[in-house]
Amino acid sequence: MSHPLLGEIEQYIERHGLSPTRFGRLAVKDPRFVEDLRSGRSPRRRTLERVSAYMHSN
């Protein structure tokens, strides 16, 4: 099962022309973040807050 935020992230990286690894580095300093979400990773609440803040500030 994928995380609900993954769809929003996918749209963001498409809209901004970012690779998944670039997004992960910029948002949470983890280049595998998006791939891990795609594989079913469940991030901590604080990580989700950082990702959301990054997407809404850019």
Side-chain angles (χ1 to χ4, degrees):
M1 174 190 274
S2 65
H3 194 276
L5 187 60
L6 181 57
E8 189 176 341
I9 292 170
E10 298 283 8
Q11 290 175 355
Y12 184 92
I13 62 177
E14 176 78 22
R15 186 171 51 248
H16 293 276
L18 296 172
S19 69
T21 55
R22 181 78 175 142
F23 175 85
R25 279 190 193 106
L26 293 171
V28 291
K29 297 180 176 62
D30 179 358
R32 292 206 33 87
F33 180 73
V34 176
E35 288 301 322
D36 288 348
L37 279 182
R38 290 173 177 165
S39 297
R41 174 180 170 185
S42 294
R44 295 181 302 182
R45 189 190 71 197
R46 178 67 182 128
T47 303
L48 295 176
E49 290 170 355
R50 287 173 55 198
V51 170
S52 184
Y54 172 79
M55 289 192 298
H56 290 101
S57 70
N58 292 304

